[in-house]
Amino acid sequence: MLALLTRDLRLAMRAGGGFGLGLAFFLLVAVLVPLGVGPEGAVLAKIAPGILWVGALLACLLSLDRLFALDFEDGSLDLLATAPIPLEGVVAVKSLAHWLVTGVPLVLVAPVLGVLLNLPVAGYGWLVVSLALGTPALSVIGAFGAALVVGVKRGGLLLSLLVLPLYVPTLIFGAEVVKRGAGGLAVGTPLALLAGITLAAAALLPFASAAALRVNLR
Amino acid sequence: MELRVHDLAVARGGITVLEGLSFSLGAGAALVLRGPNGVGKTTLLRTLAGLQPAVAGRLSLEPEEMAYAAHADGIKAVLTVEENLRFWAAVSGQGAVEAALGAMNLADLRHRRAAHLSAGQKRRLGLARLLVTGRKLWLLDEPTVSLDAASVVLFGQVVRQHLAAGGAALMASHVDLGIGEAAVLDLAPYRATRSAVQAGGFDEAFV
Amino acid sequence: MSIWEYANPKKFMQSSAAVLPWVAGLSALCLVTGLVWGFFLTPDDYRQGSTVKIIYLHVPSAMMAINAWAMMLVASLIWLVRRHHVSALAAKAAAPVGLTMTVIALVTGALWGQPMWGTWWAWDPRLTSFLILTLFYFGYIALWQAVEDPDTAADLTAVLCLVGSVFAVLSRYAVLFWNQGLHQGASLSLDKKENVADVFWLPLVVCIAGFVLLFLTLVLVRTRTEVRARRLAALLARERLA
């Protein structure tokens, strides 16, 4: 399991793409939105939590189609499925690797982009906390979508169509935490619900993903 | 360890391709599967490896005792030869990486990235992976594709060592693998007939 | 005799052929009765005028939009557990019907909302949930179309339907939370149940029955088409092999 994690991280570092691409996309969103909406600080401050969360979500989506597809194409997935580690574990570890490569950098740069979007000071802490709690769910749910479409040629668009509706609860609670935090309100409820979704998704979805992978390998 | 297959039927894409297949393979034995393209060699190997369900029949060996090697070797181009092999060794909980590198004559290439290997060298790396799985029964799909004559001999030696150590090998191939003592099983007689399509195929209920 | 015998494609084709004309006829009868009664024989609402009559399309289609998904969920479960092909094909057949119902509910809702609220669209929790439901239908149908092998597609869509159902329910509550958390209370409540008088209620029930039967008719017809398509594919495959 640990070997799989280190291999996936190493692959992400060497191939380069997964690491920088999502971050660059996130940055682009944070730059393009003010250009489209206008430079008024009050307006930007109001929409900053939502924009940052939507940006993080789309950046996460960007690298998902490679999660299983590369292993499927070169035969690694066949071999992993016959290896002595459970396929559910493979899914969980690969989701974790995806989160470390995509989610964690997003969490770290989010405050910087918050400055660009004029996020109120009180919101920064909650932005980091909500993204840190919510992005694992994005990776796990995304892995489920990636497992469904692994056998489909050019499944990227289909993957977005399948995964984005599943992201709705995470997005709502995550953005709500930042909104309330920025407005100085209590964030306990949405934060607990966000954490609940992440934990439940991480605990249950790998089983569904592994089932989908087995069907696709058949 | 013994693989026993009794009255097995396998299907590809909802159509039964092989039926009534029975054979057994004990420790120290090798069996070569022959038959024309599309007869179901790969399908049979994938079924035995537990990647797809059998339509009918019994298997006496759990998929956990098998190591499967397909057309695709599962090699990551950006990792070096040694990193690729160490990964599969770790996944299988084994450590015989050095021996495997030596056996497939890859020791000199260990720090080269797999992207820069020739097709035959990649194939050798894929076969070296079998050695680090530590599993008894090898299921090999066209193992000698793109290997040169010297490497085919090398492959023969490795398989013989594996057999001598109590392993077994089931190989699908069109060409001579250079393992003279291996028994040969021609799959053509087991090709599913029209009546069997009705009885065993997944879509029979619709006809 | 077990109920599962009807899951055999041949048996299903026989029994559905026998049932179909009755279901279709009854559906037409209910729809014509309910809609004529509702549109022409009920008084105008004292507050909403004749706009209220769109309720006879809006409420039944909205109910069927959700019930269609529930039916797909049950059919998917049956497929996963018992591997009856008809079950998977029925789920596949129901999805576009459910999507159409969702779209009808959204469009009639917009037509109703415009004169009542002065806007075609509002991010009301209920409206938003329906929009999200549309997305789920799109994803489900797209997955069926993208996967070539029919059994693989049936398995994958069934898993998607199970997971999607959980997330659809989650989304419903998340959306409730989101709107109440952000805006004032539900000023645009669509819950008309308490102010629907008997004179509107009876034709509405007839319309709902008509929509249920219409859904049943469409799903039966579409499932029969799917079964025939699979039968054709199986025959062609056998032809190739022989």
PDB file of all heavy atoms in Angstrom, chain B residues 7-12 15-21 33-34 38-45 55-56 186-193 196:
ATOM      1  N   ASP B   7     -14.576 -28.821 -16.751  1.00  0.00           N
ATOM      2  CA  ASP B   7     -15.749 -28.453 -17.552  1.00  0.00           C
ATOM      3  C   ASP B   7     -15.962 -26.933 -17.603  1.00  0.00           C
ATOM      4  O   ASP B   7     -17.069 -26.441 -17.474  1.00  0.00           O
ATOM      5  CB  ASP B   7     -17.006 -29.125 -16.977  1.00  0.00           C
ATOM      6  CG  ASP B   7     -18.085 -29.244 -18.051  1.00  0.00           C
ATOM      7  OD1 ASP B   7     -17.736 -29.158 -19.236  1.00  0.00           O
ATOM      8  OD2 ASP B   7     -19.258 -29.395 -17.690  1.00  0.00           O
ATOM      9  N   LEU B   8     -14.883 -26.216 -17.806  1.00  0.00           N
ATOM     10  CA  LEU B   8     -14.931 -24.760 -17.761  1.00  0.00           C
ATOM     11  C   LEU B   8     -15.468 -24.189 -19.076  1.00  0.00           C
ATOM     12  O   LEU B   8     -15.175 -24.696 -20.157  1.00  0.00           O
ATOM     13  CB  LEU B   8     -13.517 -24.215 -17.512  1.00  0.00           C
ATOM     14  CG  LEU B   8     -13.407 -22.728 -17.229  1.00  0.00           C
ATOM     15  CD1 LEU B   8     -13.907 -22.416 -15.837  1.00  0.00           C
ATOM     16  CD2 LEU B   8     -11.971 -22.268 -17.384  1.00  0.00           C
ATOM     17  N   ALA B   9     -16.268 -23.134 -18.951  1.00  0.00           N
ATOM     18  CA  ALA B   9     -16.703 -22.376 -20.127  1.00  0.00           C
ATOM     19  C   ALA B   9     -16.429 -20.905 -19.867  1.00  0.00           C
ATOM     20  O   ALA B   9     -16.681 -20.411 -18.771  1.00  0.00           O
ATOM     21  CB  ALA B   9     -18.187 -22.601 -20.397  1.00  0.00           C
ATOM     22  N   VAL B  10     -15.849 -20.239 -20.847  1.00  0.00           N
ATOM     23  CA  VAL B  10     -15.544 -18.820 -20.670  1.00  0.00           C
ATOM     24  C   VAL B  10     -16.170 -18.032 -21.819  1.00  0.00           C
ATOM     25  O   VAL B  10     -16.377 -18.553 -22.911  1.00  0.00           O
ATOM     26  CB  VAL B  10     -14.020 -18.553 -20.621  1.00  0.00           C
ATOM     27  CG1 VAL B  10     -13.398 -19.255 -19.446  1.00  0.00           C
ATOM     28  CG2 VAL B  10     -13.347 -18.960 -21.918  1.00  0.00           C
ATOM     29  N   ALA B  11     -16.472 -16.761 -21.522  1.00  0.00           N
ATOM     30  CA  ALA B  11     -17.155 -15.923 -22.510  1.00  0.00           C
ATOM     31  C   ALA B  11     -16.410 -14.607 -22.701  1.00  0.00           C
ATOM     32  O   ALA B  11     -15.756 -14.104 -21.783  1.00  0.00           O
ATOM     33  CB  ALA B  11     -18.582 -15.651 -22.062  1.00  0.00           C
ATOM     34  N   ARG B  12     -16.514 -14.098 -23.918  1.00  0.00           N
ATOM     35  CA  ARG B  12     -15.943 -12.782 -24.202  1.00  0.00           C
ATOM     36  C   ARG B  12     -17.046 -11.945 -24.845  1.00  0.00           C
ATOM     37  O   ARG B  12     -17.655 -12.358 -25.829  1.00  0.00           O
ATOM     38  CB  ARG B  12     -14.756 -12.924 -25.161  1.00  0.00           C
ATOM     39  CG  ARG B  12     -14.052 -11.616 -25.472  1.00  0.00           C
ATOM     40  CD  ARG B  12     -12.901 -11.829 -26.413  1.00  0.00           C
ATOM     41  NE  ARG B  12     -13.354 -12.433 -27.651  1.00  0.00           N
ATOM     42  CZ  ARG B  12     -12.795 -13.498 -28.218  1.00  0.00           C
ATOM     43  NH1 ARG B  12     -11.767 -14.070 -27.671  1.00  0.00           N
ATOM     44  NH2 ARG B  12     -13.274 -13.983 -29.339  1.00  0.00           N
ATOM     45  N   ILE B  15     -20.468 -13.630 -25.322  1.00  0.00           N
ATOM     46  CA  ILE B  15     -20.559 -14.826 -26.173  1.00  0.00           C
ATOM     47  C   ILE B  15     -19.584 -15.864 -25.650  1.00  0.00           C
ATOM     48  O   ILE B  15     -18.401 -15.574 -25.446  1.00  0.00           O
ATOM     49  CB  ILE B  15     -20.197 -14.486 -27.625  1.00  0.00           C
ATOM     50  CG1 ILE B  15     -21.171 -13.435 -28.155  1.00  0.00           C
ATOM     51  CG2 ILE B  15     -20.222 -15.726 -28.488  1.00  0.00           C
ATOM     52  CD1 ILE B  15     -20.678 -12.755 -29.391  1.00  0.00           C
ATOM     53  N   THR B  16     -20.078 -17.060 -25.427  1.00  0.00           N
ATOM     54  CA  THR B  16     -19.210 -18.135 -24.962  1.00  0.00           C
ATOM     55  C   THR B  16     -18.237 -18.513 -26.076  1.00  0.00           C
ATOM     56  O   THR B  16     -18.651 -18.740 -27.214  1.00  0.00           O
ATOM     57  CB  THR B  16     -20.045 -19.364 -24.583  1.00  0.00           C
ATOM     58  OG1 THR B  16     -21.047 -18.949 -23.658  1.00  0.00           O
ATOM     59  CG2 THR B  16     -19.179 -20.437 -23.942  1.00  0.00           C
ATOM     60  N   VAL B  17     -16.937 -18.536 -25.749  1.00  0.00           N
ATOM     61  CA  VAL B  17     -15.957 -18.877 -26.780  1.00  0.00           C
ATOM     62  C   VAL B  17     -15.355 -20.260 -26.563  1.00  0.00           C
ATOM     63  O   VAL B  17     -15.014 -20.941 -27.515  1.00  0.00           O
ATOM     64  CB  VAL B  17     -14.838 -17.812 -26.870  1.00  0.00           C
ATOM     65  CG1 VAL B  17     -15.377 -16.540 -27.490  1.00  0.00           C
ATOM     66  CG2 VAL B  17     -14.234 -17.533 -25.521  1.00  0.00           C
ATOM     67  N   LEU B  18     -15.219 -20.666 -25.306  1.00  0.00           N
ATOM     68  CA  LEU B  18     -14.666 -21.991 -25.013  1.00  0.00           C
ATOM     69  C   LEU B  18     -15.625 -22.707 -24.069  1.00  0.00           C
ATOM     70  O   LEU B  18     -16.227 -22.072 -23.207  1.00  0.00           O
ATOM     71  CB  LEU B  18     -13.299 -21.879 -24.340  1.00  0.00           C
ATOM     72  CG  LEU B  18     -12.135 -21.386 -25.188  1.00  0.00           C
ATOM     73  CD1 LEU B  18     -10.936 -21.129 -24.293  1.00  0.00           C
ATOM     74  CD2 LEU B  18     -11.786 -22.401 -26.258  1.00  0.00           C
ATOM     75  N   GLU B  19     -15.729 -24.023 -24.216  1.00  0.00           N
ATOM     76  CA  GLU B  19     -16.613 -24.769 -23.315  1.00  0.00           C
ATOM     77  C   GLU B  19     -16.067 -26.175 -23.113  1.00  0.00           C
ATOM     78  O   GLU B  19     -15.264 -26.668 -23.912  1.00  0.00           O
ATOM     79  CB  GLU B  19     -18.018 -24.848 -23.908  1.00  0.00           C
ATOM     80  CG  GLU B  19     -17.995 -25.429 -25.300  1.00  0.00           C
ATOM     81  CD  GLU B  19     -19.315 -26.045 -25.706  1.00  0.00           C
ATOM     82  OE1 GLU B  19     -20.141 -26.268 -24.827  1.00  0.00           O
ATOM     83  OE2 GLU B  19     -19.482 -26.325 -26.896  1.00  0.00           O
ATOM     84  N   GLY B  20     -16.503 -26.791 -22.019  1.00  0.00           N
ATOM     85  CA  GLY B  20     -16.130 -28.169 -21.742  1.00  0.00           C
ATOM     86  C   GLY B  20     -14.636 -28.389 -21.561  1.00  0.00           C
ATOM     87  O   GLY B  20     -14.115 -29.468 -21.817  1.00  0.00           O
ATOM     88  N   LEU B  21     -13.950 -27.375 -21.097  1.00  0.00           N
ATOM     89  CA  LEU B  21     -12.498 -27.449 -20.983  1.00  0.00           C
ATOM     90  C   LEU B  21     -12.111 -28.046 -19.631  1.00  0.00           C
ATOM     91  O   LEU B  21     -12.519 -27.527 -18.589  1.00  0.00           O
ATOM     92  CB  LEU B  21     -11.928 -26.039 -21.132  1.00  0.00           C
ATOM     93  CG  LEU B  21     -10.424 -25.881 -21.184  1.00  0.00           C
ATOM     94  CD1 LEU B  21      -9.868 -26.598 -22.398  1.00  0.00           C
ATOM     95  CD2 LEU B  21     -10.062 -24.419 -21.233  1.00  0.00           C
ATOM     96  N   LEU B  33      -0.776 -23.307 -24.146  1.00  0.00           N
ATOM     97  CA  LEU B  33      -2.077 -23.245 -24.803  1.00  0.00           C
ATOM     98  C   LEU B  33      -1.872 -22.810 -26.244  1.00  0.00           C
ATOM     99  O   LEU B  33      -1.201 -21.818 -26.503  1.00  0.00           O
ATOM    100  CB  LEU B  33      -3.000 -22.246 -24.105  1.00  0.00           C
ATOM    101  CG  LEU B  33      -3.280 -22.491 -22.634  1.00  0.00           C
ATOM    102  CD1 LEU B  33      -4.039 -21.323 -22.045  1.00  0.00           C
ATOM    103  CD2 LEU B  33      -4.071 -23.765 -22.455  1.00  0.00           C
ATOM    104  N   ARG B  34      -2.441 -23.570 -27.165  1.00  0.00           N
ATOM    105  CA  ARG B  34      -2.329 -23.188 -28.565  1.00  0.00           C
ATOM    106  C   ARG B  34      -3.715 -23.048 -29.163  1.00  0.00           C
ATOM    107  O   ARG B  34      -4.708 -23.506 -28.611  1.00  0.00           O
ATOM    108  CB  ARG B  34      -1.537 -24.225 -29.338  1.00  0.00           C
ATOM    109  CG  ARG B  34      -0.072 -24.227 -28.978  1.00  0.00           C
ATOM    110  CD  ARG B  34       0.760 -24.769 -30.129  1.00  0.00           C
ATOM    111  NE  ARG B  34       2.121 -25.000 -29.698  1.00  0.00           N
ATOM    112  CZ  ARG B  34       3.046 -24.040 -29.639  1.00  0.00           C
ATOM    113  NH1 ARG B  34       2.735 -22.815 -29.998  1.00  0.00           N
ATOM    114  NH2 ARG B  34       4.258 -24.307 -29.223  1.00  0.00           N
ATOM    115  N   GLY B  38      -8.273 -15.499 -31.562  1.00  0.00           N
ATOM    116  CA  GLY B  38      -9.688 -15.358 -31.228  1.00  0.00           C
ATOM    117  C   GLY B  38     -10.305 -16.616 -30.648  1.00  0.00           C
ATOM    118  O   GLY B  38     -11.493 -16.633 -30.362  1.00  0.00           O
ATOM    119  N   VAL B  39      -9.522 -17.662 -30.437  1.00  0.00           N
ATOM    120  CA  VAL B  39     -10.101 -18.891 -29.912  1.00  0.00           C
ATOM    121  C   VAL B  39     -10.443 -18.732 -28.429  1.00  0.00           C
ATOM    122  O   VAL B  39     -11.310 -19.415 -27.904  1.00  0.00           O
ATOM    123  CB  VAL B  39      -9.164 -20.088 -30.155  1.00  0.00           C
ATOM    124  CG1 VAL B  39      -8.018 -20.071 -29.160  1.00  0.00           C
ATOM    125  CG2 VAL B  39      -9.925 -21.394 -30.051  1.00  0.00           C
ATOM    126  N   GLY B  40      -9.753 -17.786 -27.763  1.00  0.00           N
ATOM    127  CA  GLY B  40     -10.090 -17.530 -26.361  1.00  0.00           C
ATOM    128  C   GLY B  40      -8.947 -17.781 -25.388  1.00  0.00           C
ATOM    129  O   GLY B  40      -9.189 -18.022 -24.219  1.00  0.00           O
ATOM    130  N   LYS B  41      -7.714 -17.717 -25.891  1.00  0.00           N
ATOM    131  CA  LYS B  41      -6.570 -17.964 -25.004  1.00  0.00           C
ATOM    132  C   LYS B  41      -6.482 -16.894 -23.917  1.00  0.00           C
ATOM    133  O   LYS B  41      -6.373 -17.204 -22.730  1.00  0.00           O
ATOM    134  CB  LYS B  41      -5.264 -17.976 -25.821  1.00  0.00           C
ATOM    135  CG  LYS B  41      -5.188 -19.075 -26.864  1.00  0.00           C
ATOM    136  CD  LYS B  41      -3.802 -19.200 -27.452  1.00  0.00           C
ATOM    137  CE  LYS B  41      -3.448 -18.033 -28.354  1.00  0.00           C
ATOM    138  NZ  LYS B  41      -4.207 -18.010 -29.617  1.00  0.00           N
ATOM    139  N   THR B  42      -6.531 -15.645 -24.346  1.00  0.00           N
ATOM    140  CA  THR B  42      -6.442 -14.552 -23.373  1.00  0.00           C
ATOM    141  C   THR B  42      -7.635 -14.569 -22.428  1.00  0.00           C
ATOM    142  O   THR B  42      -7.489 -14.387 -21.212  1.00  0.00           O
ATOM    143  CB  THR B  42      -6.369 -13.204 -24.116  1.00  0.00           C
ATOM    144  OG1 THR B  42      -5.199 -13.195 -24.921  1.00  0.00           O
ATOM    145  CG2 THR B  42      -6.321 -12.051 -23.142  1.00  0.00           C
ATOM    146  N   THR B  43      -8.820 -14.825 -22.975  1.00  0.00           N
ATOM    147  CA  THR B  43     -10.025 -14.882 -22.143  1.00  0.00           C
ATOM    148  C   THR B  43      -9.887 -15.959 -21.079  1.00  0.00           C
ATOM    149  O   THR B  43     -10.230 -15.760 -19.914  1.00  0.00           O
ATOM    150  CB  THR B  43     -11.248 -15.167 -23.021  1.00  0.00           C
ATOM    151  OG1 THR B  43     -11.254 -14.249 -24.112  1.00  0.00           O
ATOM    152  CG2 THR B  43     -12.528 -15.024 -22.240  1.00  0.00           C
ATOM    153  N   LEU B  44      -9.340 -17.121 -21.482  1.00  0.00           N
ATOM    154  CA  LEU B  44      -9.153 -18.215 -20.530  1.00  0.00           C
ATOM    155  C   LEU B  44      -8.189 -17.800 -19.420  1.00  0.00           C
ATOM    156  O   LEU B  44      -8.462 -18.024 -18.229  1.00  0.00           O
ATOM    157  CB  LEU B  44      -8.626 -19.448 -21.271  1.00  0.00           C
ATOM    158  CG  LEU B  44      -8.254 -20.641 -20.396  1.00  0.00           C
ATOM    159  CD1 LEU B  44      -9.458 -21.130 -19.612  1.00  0.00           C
ATOM    160  CD2 LEU B  44      -7.678 -21.774 -21.227  1.00  0.00           C
ATOM    161  N   LEU B  45      -7.071 -17.178 -19.811  1.00  0.00           N
ATOM    162  CA  LEU B  45      -6.092 -16.775 -18.800  1.00  0.00           C
ATOM    163  C   LEU B  45      -6.687 -15.742 -17.848  1.00  0.00           C
ATOM    164  O   LEU B  45      -6.470 -15.785 -16.638  1.00  0.00           O
ATOM    165  CB  LEU B  45      -4.839 -16.214 -19.480  1.00  0.00           C
ATOM    166  CG  LEU B  45      -3.960 -17.247 -20.186  1.00  0.00           C
ATOM    167  CD1 LEU B  45      -2.774 -16.578 -20.863  1.00  0.00           C
ATOM    168  CD2 LEU B  45      -3.463 -18.287 -19.199  1.00  0.00           C
ATOM    169  N   VAL B  55     -18.298 -18.767 -17.158  1.00  0.00           N
ATOM    170  CA  VAL B  55     -19.716 -19.002 -17.465  1.00  0.00           C
ATOM    171  C   VAL B  55     -20.187 -20.263 -16.752  1.00  0.00           C
ATOM    172  O   VAL B  55     -21.287 -20.320 -16.214  1.00  0.00           O
ATOM    173  CB  VAL B  55     -19.918 -19.145 -18.984  1.00  0.00           C
ATOM    174  CG1 VAL B  55     -21.363 -19.483 -19.304  1.00  0.00           C
ATOM    175  CG2 VAL B  55     -19.511 -17.859 -19.677  1.00  0.00           C
ATOM    176  N   ALA B  56     -19.332 -21.288 -16.752  1.00  0.00           N
ATOM    177  CA  ALA B  56     -19.680 -22.551 -16.103  1.00  0.00           C
ATOM    178  C   ALA B  56     -18.394 -23.269 -15.752  1.00  0.00           C
ATOM    179  O   ALA B  56     -17.318 -22.923 -16.249  1.00  0.00           O
ATOM    180  CB  ALA B  56     -20.537 -23.417 -17.043  1.00  0.00           C
ATOM    181  N   ASP B 186      -4.206 -27.951 -27.242  1.00  0.00           N
ATOM    182  CA  ASP B 186      -4.799 -27.219 -28.348  1.00  0.00           C
ATOM    183  C   ASP B 186      -6.244 -26.866 -27.985  1.00  0.00           C
ATOM    184  O   ASP B 186      -7.035 -27.743 -27.634  1.00  0.00           O
ATOM    185  CB  ASP B 186      -4.766 -28.088 -29.615  1.00  0.00           C
ATOM    186  CG  ASP B 186      -5.171 -27.284 -30.833  1.00  0.00           C
ATOM    187  OD1 ASP B 186      -5.497 -26.087 -30.660  1.00  0.00           O
ATOM    188  OD2 ASP B 186      -5.157 -27.841 -31.940  1.00  0.00           O
ATOM    189  N   LEU B 187      -6.563 -25.578 -28.033  1.00  0.00           N
ATOM    190  CA  LEU B 187      -7.884 -25.142 -27.588  1.00  0.00           C
ATOM    191  C   LEU B 187      -8.950 -25.273 -28.669  1.00  0.00           C
ATOM    192  O   LEU B 187     -10.140 -25.186 -28.378  1.00  0.00           O
ATOM    193  CB  LEU B 187      -7.823 -23.679 -27.122  1.00  0.00           C
ATOM    194  CG  LEU B 187      -7.087 -23.442 -25.799  1.00  0.00           C
ATOM    195  CD1 LEU B 187      -7.074 -21.960 -25.471  1.00  0.00           C
ATOM    196  CD2 LEU B 187      -7.731 -24.215 -24.668  1.00  0.00           C
ATOM    197  N   ALA B 188      -8.521 -25.478 -29.929  1.00  0.00           N
ATOM    198  CA  ALA B 188      -9.497 -25.477 -31.029  1.00  0.00           C
ATOM    199  C   ALA B 188     -10.654 -26.466 -30.810  1.00  0.00           C
ATOM    200  O   ALA B 188     -11.806 -26.116 -31.083  1.00  0.00           O
ATOM    201  CB  ALA B 188      -8.793 -25.747 -32.351  1.00  0.00           C
ATOM    202  N   PRO B 189     -10.404 -27.688 -30.296  1.00  0.00           N
ATOM    203  CA  PRO B 189     -11.533 -28.618 -30.116  1.00  0.00           C
ATOM    204  C   PRO B 189     -12.546 -28.157 -29.083  1.00  0.00           C
ATOM    205  O   PRO B 189     -13.669 -28.655 -29.055  1.00  0.00           O
ATOM    206  CB  PRO B 189     -10.855 -29.914 -29.644  1.00  0.00           C
ATOM    207  CG  PRO B 189      -9.436 -29.777 -30.021  1.00  0.00           C
ATOM    208  CD  PRO B 189      -9.119 -28.321 -29.990  1.00  0.00           C
ATOM    209  N   TYR B 190     -12.151 -27.221 -28.221  1.00  0.00           N
ATOM    210  CA  TYR B 190     -13.065 -26.782 -27.157  1.00  0.00           C
ATOM    211  C   TYR B 190     -13.853 -25.552 -27.551  1.00  0.00           C
ATOM    212  O   TYR B 190     -14.584 -24.985 -26.755  1.00  0.00           O
ATOM    213  CB  TYR B 190     -12.273 -26.482 -25.875  1.00  0.00           C
ATOM    214  CG  TYR B 190     -11.535 -27.673 -25.365  1.00  0.00           C
ATOM    215  CD1 TYR B 190     -10.181 -27.828 -25.616  1.00  0.00           C
ATOM    216  CD2 TYR B 190     -12.210 -28.658 -24.651  1.00  0.00           C
ATOM    217  CE1 TYR B 190      -9.502 -28.942 -25.161  1.00  0.00           C
ATOM    218  CE2 TYR B 190     -11.533 -29.776 -24.193  1.00  0.00           C
ATOM    219  CZ  TYR B 190     -10.183 -29.908 -24.447  1.00  0.00           C
ATOM    220  OH  TYR B 190      -9.520 -31.008 -24.003  1.00  0.00           O
ATOM    221  N   ARG B 191     -13.649 -25.121 -28.795  1.00  0.00           N
ATOM    222  CA  ARG B 191     -14.372 -23.953 -29.277  1.00  0.00           C
ATOM    223  C   ARG B 191     -15.873 -24.165 -29.101  1.00  0.00           C
ATOM    224  O   ARG B 191     -16.402 -25.232 -29.415  1.00  0.00           O
ATOM    225  CB  ARG B 191     -14.049 -23.770 -30.758  1.00  0.00           C
ATOM    226  CG  ARG B 191     -14.363 -22.416 -31.281  1.00  0.00           C
ATOM    227  CD  ARG B 191     -14.082 -22.448 -32.755  1.00  0.00           C
ATOM    228  NE  ARG B 191     -12.667 -22.195 -33.003  1.00  0.00           N
ATOM    229  CZ  ARG B 191     -12.261 -21.286 -33.886  1.00  0.00           C
ATOM    230  NH1 ARG B 191     -13.125 -20.614 -34.587  1.00  0.00           N
ATOM    231  NH2 ARG B 191     -10.985 -21.087 -34.065  1.00  0.00           N
ATOM    232  N   ALA B 192     -16.545 -23.150 -28.573  1.00  0.00           N
ATOM    233  CA  ALA B 192     -17.972 -23.302 -28.289  1.00  0.00           C
ATOM    234  C   ALA B 192     -18.749 -23.489 -29.581  1.00  0.00           C
ATOM    235  O   ALA B 192     -18.510 -22.805 -30.563  1.00  0.00           O
ATOM    236  CB  ALA B 192     -18.483 -22.074 -27.546  1.00  0.00           C
ATOM    237  N   THR B 193     -19.670 -24.442 -29.553  1.00  0.00           N
ATOM    238  CA  THR B 193     -20.500 -24.674 -30.729  1.00  0.00           C
ATOM    239  C   THR B 193     -21.785 -23.880 -30.604  1.00  0.00           C
ATOM    240  O   THR B 193     -22.056 -23.265 -29.586  1.00  0.00           O
ATOM    241  CB  THR B 193     -20.833 -26.161 -30.862  1.00  0.00           C
ATOM    242  OG1 THR B 193     -21.453 -26.570 -29.647  1.00  0.00           O
ATOM    243  CG2 THR B 193     -19.598 -26.970 -31.118  1.00  0.00           C
ATOM    244  N   ALA B 196     -23.974 -24.535 -27.617  1.00  0.00           N
ATOM    245  CA  ALA B 196     -23.447 -24.036 -26.361  1.00  0.00           C
ATOM    246  C   ALA B 196     -23.672 -22.539 -26.226  1.00  0.00           C
ATOM    247  O   ALA B 196     -23.803 -22.029 -25.121  1.00  0.00           O
ATOM    248  CB  ALA B 196     -21.963 -24.349 -26.251  1.00  0.00           C
TER     249      ALA B 196
END
